Structure formats: structure tokens, C-alpha cells
Amino acid sequence: MEYDVVIVGGGPSGSSLGYMLAKNGFKTALVDKSVFPRHKLCGGLMAHKARFIYEKMLGKTIEEIFVAV
């Protein structure tokens, strides 16, 4: 397969970048060693600034974006 962009690492930065690139027409592959959803050691905390950015980028509230696993 051919891609415009291959992103290694599906954490917050990699997945956000992949989403934005794919939404703008780039053929995008995201590669990560883990299976998603995965257990988060941080307890699911998110900085207020990150919450604002995700809500603006995705056009949804944080409650609509994330579902407790």
C-alpha cells in the first residue's frame, strides 16, 4: 500500500496528527505497538488546554469524544 504519510506512535500527538491529515485528504497510516483501546496509567487525566484543543479540532464535547473503558 502507498501512503502520503506514515505516523509512528498512536498517542495523543500521533493520533491527532493522523486525524487532521486524513481529514484534509492525505492517505495516512498510523503505526503503534499497542492494541487500542489500551489501559492508561495516567488515570485518564487531561489538561484543560488539551481538552479545549480536542473539542475544537473534533467539533464535539470531551464527553462525546472519550468513553470510559
Side-chain angles (χ1 to χ4, degrees):
M1 300 189 93
E2 293 185 23
Y3 297 96
D4 298 315
V5 178
V6 176
I7 301 166
V8 178
S13 297
S15 59
S16 296
L17 176 62
Y19 174 83
M20 290 172 24
L21 289 169
K23 188 175 178 180
N24 285 286
F26 289 88
K27 192 170 180 185
T28 307
L30 181 62
V31 180
D32 196 279
K33 67 180 178 178
S34 297
V35 176
F36 292 85
R38 62 184 174 196
H39 179 69
K40 291 181 66 175
L41 296 177
C42 70
L45 298 176
M46 179 180 286
H48 180 71
K49 185 174 181 180
R51 179 181 178 143
F52 173 77
I53 290 169
Y54 274 107
E55 288 179 340
K56 185 174 181 179
M57 180 177 74
L58 299 174
K60 297 180 180 180
T61 67
I62 206 70
E63 291 78 18
E64 294 171 311
I65 297 167
F66 295 103
V67 178
V69 178

